[in-house]
Amino acid sequence: MPPTTEPDHPLLRVHDLRVAFDTPAGTVQAVDGVSFTVEAGRTLGLVGESGSGKSVTSLAVMGLHRRAHVSGSVTLAGQELLGLTDRRFGRLRGRRMAMVFQDPLSALHPAYTVGEQIAEAHRHHFGSGRRVARRRAVEMLGEVGIPEPGRRAGEYAHQFSGGMRQRAMIAMALACEPELLVADEPTTALDVTVQAQILELIARLQQERGLGVLMITHDLGVVARVAHEVLVMYGGRGAEQAPVDELFHSPAHPYTRGLLDSLPRLDDPDDAPLRAIPGSPPSPAEPRAGCPFAPRCPRAAAATVPERARCAGESPRPRGVPGGGRLVACHLPLPAAPHPGPPGGAPGTGRGGPMKPTYSKSLRSPAGPEETGPAPDSGTAGDDGAAPLLSVRGLVKTFPGRRVLGRAVAPVRAVDGVDLELAAGETLGLVGESGCGKSTTGRMLVRLLEPTAGAVEFEGRDITHLSQRELRPVRQHLQIIFQDPHASLNPRQTVARIISEPLLVQGATVRAARDRAAELLDLVGLGSEHLDRHPYQFSGGQAQRIGIARALATGPRLIVADEPVSALDVSVQAQVVNLMERLGDELGLSFLFIAHDLSVVKRVCDRVAVMYLGRIVEIGDKRELYDRPAHPYTRALLSAVPLPDPAAERRRERILLLGDPPSPAAPPSGCGFHPRCPKAQAVCRTERPLLQVVGSGARTAACHFPETG
């Protein structure tokens, strides 16, 4: 889908790209006629659901398909790339164009040091000696913000954190100063704070070097922050291409509108259900005539009979639509909305340069600790006097040290004295960066992990030391939903058996369990016709619905939901979020909702607890916590969440945390957050803060200098 006006030789031009694969079932057309351009110094965001062809397109641009049928045209500064020999393509790849992959741990070689791998690219393309290449590797590691680059260059990938590995991948990609950077989901596996650091880094390097960037992502908030233009893909085709402001303000394709409506927004005060896109994306192995989005399109469903027939039978071609110089492949495009005015400045990266990492005025000017009463036990679950459904006191989990390859590994205190209460019918969100202890806490609550210390009371009964036999009747009312739906379902069992198993353990008959499984499938929106299918026959969202049905089988009162939507596309995520909210209301369920996506947490939770390095640092009513965060860490988390609104992104003051969280195997003294906190003073380095009531009393925070506004 080329832009309406184009220079003679844009940095990257892709025209009518088609990629097909031979499979035992026949030829699969993964990309079907995609066109776009990327200009020097600008970023094109390539978005869409899983299976839309984004990554296949990026690999075709880089010439990395080996057993695919690739046709069309891909030019770099006017030079045709398709048809080049591997040798000639190898001279370009890394030197003039480079790629950052989604999973840096898989992309980095485990047997070579990080410095050796960066130096290898420089030696290959410039013929430099080992000493010069090594110096360049250290220089690049320093440029991407890795501390002590000389020492870290001699370490291996497994010794780097996730954010540092991604920085090392960027250093490797940019070591030879390429003109084009292809970034395939470079922040998907990262915490929101590290994501903000990586996006800021790419923006700075783009401004300094005039890089053209092709950013592949499913996160529309990231697109709003970094992109100049956006191409939305669906079913292997381009659905809509437009400048970022135009696309977010007034999408023309119903699919683009559906993606935006599916997003939970941090700045949205409305708690109405998300408007999810019905159904699932099409399979490239099952092509159909007409518009690929027609079966899910609300405009096609409401159209006249001739219009519906056209959508079902005629493939739409990209065409211009009024309002902003965009292209849309749709027979029934949405009318243009009035524009609020010309955009000013740049998004967080790109047009006006990268957004400077700043701290708010109040964060730079610490106030003294507020005079408050003694710390409450847990952050109250309610003030009606009713006993909490779940009560956790002083929960600790320490994983013992051991010897690995002759080296002693220190004990890890993964959870360090957590206090929580959860009322009947309440949803409590548990948030924080990876490694803070969220999942470990959730697994201890259902006794999948044994606590080292502390107590867990459920319905007034201490279940901490119950035997497995004594736990069996308790687990009827206490269930868990896992993060990866496919990994948590037995691939050899049918859906009926998977859902029935908890009932059979509780003593139900096979017939009664199967009947209950059929009811639950209807309840979660799948239907009893799926009872005899196996997990591999379902999409990720459908598999997660099966996991939810299994958790509901025994009629629980409390469900621990451990990252239940993090592995799902935004449209499927909205369906599952709406389902869980509906089930909570209809069945009176309580949830401990563990997540790293603060926008989803704001949507579904009543209260929120923020964890850092195994401890609760803030807990309270979600509106108080989101509107007036008291702990500096909470403020940084919220400011790092990208908003799907380019104009709002340009207005935001963003707080960038430096570095990664400390290792729980060697935690700092005093407040665990003080090495990264802009408000840290001498007392923070020596004295551990306790949870104290802040402000109106709707929240508590463990900070010597909390915000009280």
Side-chain angles (χ1 to χ4, degrees):
M1 217 183 287
T4 52
T5 61
E6 61 181 68
D8 292 338
H9 294 299
L11 176 60
L12 175 70
R13 176 181 172 131
V14 175
H15 179 69
D16 196 29
L17 180 67
R18 300 175 189 272
V19 183
F21 298 92
D22 292 328
T23 72
T27 300
V28 172
Q29 193 74 42
V31 176
D32 190 10
V34 168
S35 302
F36 58 85
T37 62
V38 178
E39 303 290 346
R42 296 177 70 83
T43 297
L44 173 71
L46 192 57
V47 302
E49 294 171 285
S50 297
S52 63
K54 307 186 301 296
S55 293
V56 175
T57 298
S58 68
L59 293 174
V61 168
M62 294 297 298
L64 293 176
H65 286 303
R66 287 293 176 266
R67 297 182 179 179
H69 304 287
V70 183
S71 62
S73 174
V74 177
T75 61
L76 181 67
Q79 178 184 0
E80 180 61 55
L81 303 183
L82 296 189
L84 291 181
T85 64
D86 288 345
R87 184 181 182 86
R88 293 186 63 190
F89 219 130
R91 294 172 184 165
L92 297 174
R93 195 186 300 121
R95 177 63 184 92
R96 297 188 60 194
M97 55 195 302
M99 187 167 186
V100 176
F101 295 93
Q102 178 175 350
D103 184 356
L105 187 58
S106 298
L108 292 170
H109 200 294
Y112 294 91
T113 67
V114 170
E116 287 173 334
Q117 295 180 68
I118 297 174
E120 181 183 19
H122 199 266
R123 293 176 62 198
H124 173 75
H125 288 289
F126 293 99
S128 53
R130 290 183 179 274
R131 182 173 297 180
V132 172
R134 161 82 181 189
R135 189 183 309 123
R136 177 60 174 166
V138 172
E139 176 186 323
M140 287 304 305
L141 288 175
E143 188 170 346
V144 299
I146 291 180
E148 300 182 79
R151 178 177 65 85
R152 302 312 294 260
E155 295 182 346
Y156 295 87
H158 73 272
Q159 296 175 281
F160 281 41
S161 67
M164 290 176 65
R165 282 194 291 266
Q166 196 61 284
R167 288 174 180 269
M169 279 293 302
I170 294 172
M172 186 185 304
L174 300 182
C176 298
E177 301 189 357
E179 304 159 52
L180 174 70
L181 179 67
V182 178
D184 186 7
E185 300 275 9
T187 62
T188 297
L190 304 178
D191 288 307
V192 64
T193 52
V194 181
Q195 171 182 272
Q197 296 174 18
I198 296 299
L199 295 179
E200 172 66 26
L201 169 64
I202 293 176
R204 176 175 62 81
L205 295 174
Q206 180 181 48
Q207 184 184 38
E208 293 173 356
R209 301 182 176 206
L211 272 175
V213 178
L214 177 61
M215 176 70 72
I216 296 103
T217 181
H218 67 273
D219 190 331
L220 289 169
V222 169
V223 171
R225 180 176 293 185
V226 306
H228 301 86
E229 291 85 29
V230 185
L231 171 61
V232 181
M233 289 188 66
Y234 187 83
R237 308 177 190 176
E240 181 173 3
Q241 182 172 348
V244 64
D245 290 278
E246 297 291 342
L247 184 130
F248 277 83
H249 171 68
S250 178
H253 200 287
Y255 176 61
T256 310
R257 176 78 274 170
L259 287 178
L260 292 171
D261 287 343
S262 298
L263 284 172
R265 291 182 54 139
L266 202 65
D267 57 347
D268 186 0
D270 187 12
D271 287 333
L274 298 171
R275 287 179 284 180
I277 303 174
S280 302
S283 169
E286 300 175 358
R288 65 175 70 206
C291 174
F293 188 61
R296 307 172 71 192
C297 181
R299 287 182 67 79
T304 63
V305 173
E307 288 173 332
R308 286 202 303 272
R310 186 184 183 196
C311 292
E314 181 184 338
S315 178
R317 298 179 61 82
R319 59 191 177 95
V321 295
R326 72 183 69 195
L327 294 173
V328 59
C330 180
H331 297 305
L332 303 170
L334 296 164
H339 199 282
T349 65
R351 280 166 283 188
M355 180 174 288
K356 300 297 183 184
T358 60
Y359 292 94
S360 65
K361 179 179 179 181
S362 57
L363 205 56
R364 290 195 300 266
S365 305
E370 184 182 11
E371 295 294 329
T372 61
D377 286 336
S378 63
T380 56
D383 56 4
D384 57 3
L389 178 66
L390 178 75
S391 180
V392 179
R393 294 286 183 272
L395 197 63
V396 173
K397 181 61 179 179
T398 300
F399 294 97
R402 60 190 189 279
R403 298 191 71 83
V404 177
L405 299 177
R407 293 184 179 182
V409 178
V412 174
R413 199 173 179 88
V415 177
D416 190 11
V418 165
D419 296 337
L420 287 174
E421 285 188 354
L422 184 60
E426 181 187 33
T427 298
L428 173 66
L430 191 59
V431 303
E433 293 170 290
S434 298
C436 71
K438 306 187 300 296
S439 294
T440 302
T441 298
R443 288 169 183 261
M444 284 193 288
L445 299 186
V446 296
R447 288 285 305 279
L448 292 179
L449 285 175
E450 297 299 326
T452 304
V456 178
E457 292 185 3
F458 179 66
E459 296 184 317
R461 181 185 183 187
D462 190 338
I463 67 170
T464 315
H465 304 292
L466 295 183
S467 67
Q468 290 300 313
R469 183 172 182 177
E470 292 170 323
L471 269 176
R472 184 173 297 173
V474 175
R475 286 205 167 113
Q476 181 175 350
H477 304 292
L478 184 60
Q479 290 289 319
I480 187 169
I481 300 170
F482 296 96
Q483 176 176 356
D484 186 339
H486 282 292
S488 66
L489 303 178
N490 190 328
R492 297 185 178 184
Q493 292 182 347
T494 65
V495 171
R497 175 68 186 186
I498 289 170
I499 299 175
S500 299
E501 193 165 18
L503 294 165
L504 298 174
V505 170
Q506 297 293 335
T509 65
V510 173
R511 173 55 63 90
R514 183 179 174 88
D515 290 344
R516 175 64 172 158
E519 294 174 4
L520 289 167
L521 279 182
D522 288 332
L523 185 65
V524 299
L526 279 181
S528 57
E529 65 272 16
H530 298 296
L531 278 172
D532 296 315
R533 298 174 67 185
H534 289 79
Y536 75 89
Q537 297 174 283
F538 295 90
S539 67
Q542 291 173 323
Q544 194 61 288
R545 288 172 183 262
I546 296 169
I548 294 171
R550 177 178 59 185
L552 294 173
T554 57
R557 296 194 63 194
L558 171 64
I559 293 178
V560 175
D562 187 6
E563 300 274 13
V565 297
S566 65
L568 306 178
D569 284 310
V570 61
S571 58
V572 181
Q573 172 184 280
Q575 297 174 16
V576 175
V577 166
N578 287 340
L579 170 65
M580 294 180 67
E581 287 187 293
R582 177 174 62 82
L583 293 175
D585 293 339
E586 293 178 359
L587 305 178
L589 295 172
S590 297
F591 288 97
L592 179 68
F593 194 91
I594 300 169
H596 67 273
D597 189 328
L598 278 80
S599 300
V600 173
V601 169
K602 181 176 183 290
R603 168 68 57 171
V604 303
C605 296
D606 303 301
R607 290 187 304 128
V608 180
V610 182
M611 285 191 75
Y612 186 82
L613 209 60
R615 304 171 185 173
I616 301 292
V617 298
E618 186 167 1
I619 183 171
D621 174 78
K622 73 172 180 183
R623 296 194 183 278
E624 283 282 330
L625 188 142
Y626 276 73
D627 292 343
R628 289 175 291 278
H631 199 283
Y633 178 60
T634 308
R635 298 191 68 220
L637 282 180
L638 292 171
S639 83
V641 177
L643 299 177
D645 184 336
E649 275 295 309
R650 288 193 287 271
R651 294 192 299 267
R652 294 179 77 192
E653 183 177 28
R654 187 165 300 115
I655 303 169
L656 294 182
L657 292 179
L658 301 178
D660 298 303
S663 169
S669 60
C671 174
F673 186 59
H674 85 256
R676 306 170 75 193
C677 181
K679 299 178 65 174
Q681 298 186 21
V683 66
C684 303
R685 299 178 180 88
T686 58
E687 184 177 333
R688 173 177 172 176
L690 301 177
L691 283 169
Q692 295 187 3
V693 175
V694 176
S696 65
R699 61 210 157 104
T700 59
C703 181
H704 294 299
F705 306 104
E707 293 290 334
T708 59

